[in-house]
């Protein structure tokens, strides 16, 4: 219910400028001119509201999920792009009447460069910003550089957009709407400052040091940290955190990783990290004692608060990280519910924490199933992928419909598994997943 309430709050903020424009009661212009103005007002308000959908505000992400917030951020940015692109082209050619005291911005559009140049800058920057976000995985630049440019570009678009509205907007010369635009801009830039300045300042209060770096599978490591000074880091099994190792707290060299340790193990925090490029390729060379900073916890991939009669964990590749944390916590708290883990990999050497998983499988009501798409000779376990057939074989009984299902892995796997679970009768509310790649 609290998550649903966020939708009308967001809509109220986004449509506030339109409502204030309508409330001014000015004589309407031809329909295309009013549509053009409405598109511009809505585009700018969406852009300013985007700064609150950065995925780093736990008051929002804990209610709806970080992946949902980020997906909304992506889709709304594209909606704003469409509105902004059509905004100038809907206006009719300006035909101002020759009467004393006529003001162009009130009944037509202004071609005064002093008034429109900020809008031109924002108009040119916005498609570049959206395009580089969509194509980020194909760009050669490092993620940290892209992130810095993305934030700086968004701030410029917001500032130039508001300046354009205040200088050239028919309705924005009203003091109330002008104040709203300025207030929304201040909030937007404050949100950016919160992520890039205040958050790092807060992490300085609770530094960590690397305790150990342990290989747990082929090109896969478990990085364990301990507090540099005494403090607690409350989190729930299955959540993730932004990790910054060996850099200043203000560095953009931070990446999100799932927490693999159990909340009950208060003396450390661990992450399972696979070598996939950039920072991850250097994990194995990190030395104990290296300073680290953590921003978190984030995410809702946790069974805390779910009183389901059983727990199903379905992981692909490094998606095992939050599952390990959940299973460690179940063991530490003496949870007696039945647990089944389906764990897919390409080859046997990629199975992370295999010895520990074998020990876990000896617990009562615990079943661990390994699935390999490229099995070695003599392999007696499941082969192929986490298919509907495999899911039906392990979760096809009536009692399984009430279990809680936790999914983590490649996006295509998540989509296929979710569809297959729903087909065998599992309610969507019983399926927990987080995905961070959509295009």
């Amino acid at each position: 219910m609290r998550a649903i309430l966020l939708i009308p709050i967001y809509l109220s903020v986004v449509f506030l400028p339109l409502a204030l424009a309508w409330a001014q009661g000015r004589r309407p212009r031809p329909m295309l001119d009013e549509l053009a103005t409405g598109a511009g007002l809505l585009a700018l308000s969406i852009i300013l509201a985007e700064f609150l959908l950065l995925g780093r505000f736990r008051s929002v992400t804990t209610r709806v999920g970080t992946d949902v917030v980020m997906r909304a951020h992506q889709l709304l940015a594209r909606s704003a792009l469409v509105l902004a692109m059509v905004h100038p082209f809907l206006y009719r050619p300006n035909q101002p009447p020759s009467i004393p005291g006529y003001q162009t911005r009130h009944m037509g559009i202004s071609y005064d460069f002093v008034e429109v140049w900020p809008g031109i800058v924002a108009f040119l920057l916005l498609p570049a910003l959206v395009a580089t976000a969509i194509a980020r995985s194909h760009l050669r630049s490092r993620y940290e550089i892209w992130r810095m440019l993305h934030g700086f570009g968004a701030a410029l678009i917001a500032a130039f957009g508001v300046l354009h509205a205040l200088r050239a907007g028919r309705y924005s010369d009203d003091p109330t709407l002008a104040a709203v635009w300025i207030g929304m801009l201040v909030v937007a830039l404050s949100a950016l400052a919160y992520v890039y300045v205040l958050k790092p300042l807060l992490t300085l209060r609770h530094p960590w040091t690397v305790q150990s770096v342990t290989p747990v599978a082929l090109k896969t490591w478990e990085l364990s940290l301990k507090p540099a000074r005494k403090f607690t880091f409350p989190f729930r099994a299955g959540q993730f955190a932004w990790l910054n190792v060996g850099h200043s707290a203000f560095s953009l060299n931070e990446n999100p990783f799932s927490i693999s340790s159990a909340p009950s193990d208060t003396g450390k925090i661990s992450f399972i990290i696979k070598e996939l490029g950039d920072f991850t390729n250097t994990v194995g060379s990190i030395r104990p004692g290296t300073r680290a900073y953590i921003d978190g916890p984030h995410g809702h991939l946790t069974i805390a608060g779910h009183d389901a009669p059983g727990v199903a964990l379905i992981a692909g590749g490094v998606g095992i990280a939050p599952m390990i944390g959940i299973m460690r916590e179940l063991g530490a708290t003496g949870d007696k519910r039945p647990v089944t883990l389906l764990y897919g990999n390409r080859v046997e050497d990629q199975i992370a924490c295999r010895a520990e998983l074998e020990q876990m499988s000896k617990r009562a009501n615990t079943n661990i199933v390994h699935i390999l798409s490229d099995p070695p000779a003599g392999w007696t376990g499941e082969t192929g992928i986490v298919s509907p057939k495999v899911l039906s074989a392990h979760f096809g009984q009536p009692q399984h419909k009430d279990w809680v299902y936790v999914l983590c892995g490649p996006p295509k796997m998540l989509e296929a598994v979710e569809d297959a679970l729903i087909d065998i009768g599992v309610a969507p509310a019983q399926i927990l997943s987080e995905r961070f790649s959509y295009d």
Side-chain angles (χ1 to χ4, degrees), residues 4-56:
I4 293 175
L5 288 176
L6 293 174
I7 297 176
I9 293 174
Y10 175 83
L11 293 176
S12 298
V13 172
V14 168
F15 284 97
L16 178 60
L18 275 175
L20 291 174
W22 173 81
Q24 292 175 24
R26 299 192 182 190
R27 186 163 64 122
R29 299 169 298 181
M31 181 179 293
L32 284 178
D33 287 358
E34 294 297 343
L35 286 175
T37 296
L41 291 170
L42 189 55
L44 182 55
S45 60
I46 291 175
I47 290 169
L48 294 171
E50 282 286 85
F51 288 81
L52 299 178
L53 299 177
L54 298 175
R56 303 291 282 266

Side-chain angles (χ1 to χ4, degrees), residues 222 235 237 259-263 265 268-271 321 324-326 328:
E222 184 160 39
F235 67 95
I259 301 172
S260 59
S261 53
D265 190 357
K268 68 176 183 179
I269 187 169
S270 301
F271 304 88
I324 290 285
I326 291 172
R328 286 171 173 172

Side-chain angles (χ1 to χ4, degrees), residues 324-391:
I324 290 285
I326 291 172
M327 296 189 72
R328 286 171 173 172
E329 182 67 3
L330 290 173
T333 58
D335 196 309
K336 302 300 183 182
R337 286 179 292 179
V339 178
T340 295
L341 167 66
L342 299 187
Y343 181 20
N345 283 288
R346 186 177 62 84
V347 296
E348 191 173 9
D349 288 344
Q350 292 175 334
I351 299 175
C353 303
R354 187 171 186 178
E356 183 179 2
L357 289 175
E358 290 179 359
Q359 288 297 317
M360 291 178 175
S361 67
K362 297 177 182 179
R363 299 175 189 163
N365 299 320
T366 299
N367 181 31
I368 296 178
V369 180
H370 294 289
I371 307 168
L372 297 182
S373 59
D374 188 9
W379 175 258
T380 58
E382 296 276 6
T383 60
I385 60 174
V386 185
S387 64
K389 180 180 178 181
V390 172
L391 292 169

Side-chain angles (χ1 to χ4, degrees), residues 34-286:
E34 294 297 343
L35 286 175
T37 296
L41 291 170
L42 189 55
L44 182 55
S45 60
I46 291 175
I47 290 169
L48 294 171
E50 282 286 85
F51 288 81
L52 299 178
L53 299 177
L54 298 175
R56 303 291 282 266
F57 298 98
R58 290 202 293 270
S59 59
V60 176
T61 58
T62 54
R63 288 169 171 81
V64 299
T66 304
D67 61 331
V68 174
V69 172
M70 295 309 298
R71 183 54 169 164
H73 179 86
Q74 290 180 331
L75 294 177
L76 289 167
R78 297 171 196 185
S79 300
L81 174 63
V82 173
L83 291 168
M85 293 299 100
V86 302
H87 160 65
F89 296 106
L90 288 176
Y91 284 111
R92 300 175 312 127
N94 214 2
Q95 299 292 333
S98 56
I99 57 177
Y102 175 79
Q103 294 183 9
T104 305
R105 70 185 296 185
H106 287 173
M107 291 303 294
I109 60 173
S110 172
Y111 293 108
D112 187 340
F113 186 74
V114 174
E115 293 182 354
V116 300
W117 75 262
I120 295 174
V121 174
F123 182 87
L124 296 175
L125 286 177
L126 183 59
L129 188 80
V130 175
T132 54
I134 294 174
R136 180 174 62 84
S137 60
H138 303 290
L139 298 177
R140 294 179 179 272
S141 63
R142 295 176 57 192
Y143 167 75
E144 294 81 9
I145 296 175
W146 172 85
R147 181 184 166 200
M148 177 184 65
L149 294 176
H150 188 75
F152 182 66
L156 286 179
I157 292 169
F160 283 123
V162 169
L163 183 59
H164 171 64
L166 296 178
R167 287 188 173 187
R170 179 197 191 200
Y171 296 101
S172 297
D173 67 343
D174 175 74
T176 302
L177 183 49
V180 167
W181 284 133
I182 294 172
M184 292 180 70
L185 178 61
V186 169
V187 171
L189 297 181
S190 296
L192 206 62
Y194 174 77
V195 172
Y196 289 99
V197 180
L198 183 57
K199 278 272 190 179
L201 282 173
L202 294 175
T203 62
L204 280 173
R205 299 168 53 198
H206 302 301
W208 299 76
T209 57
V210 175
Q211 184 180 48
S212 62
V213 182
T214 308
V216 293
L218 179 66
K219 295 185 178 181
T220 306
W221 308 81
E222 184 160 39
L223 176 69
S224 296
L225 310 176
K226 62 181 180 180
R229 60 177 70 107
K230 189 175 181 180
F231 65 89
T232 58
F233 181 79
F235 67 95
R236 293 173 292 177
Q239 291 188 294
F240 73 93
W242 287 81
L243 178 62
N244 175 353
V245 180
H247 300 281
S248 161
F250 296 92
S251 172
L252 297 180
N253 289 277
E254 58 175 356
N255 295 274
F257 296 106
S258 293
I259 301 172
S260 59
S261 53
S264 300
D265 190 357
T266 58
K268 68 176 183 179
I269 187 169
S270 301
F271 304 88
I272 292 178
I273 302 172
K274 185 174 183 178
E275 295 180 18
L276 296 172
D278 289 344
F279 163 75
T280 58
N281 284 346
T282 68
V283 172
S285 62
I286 295 175

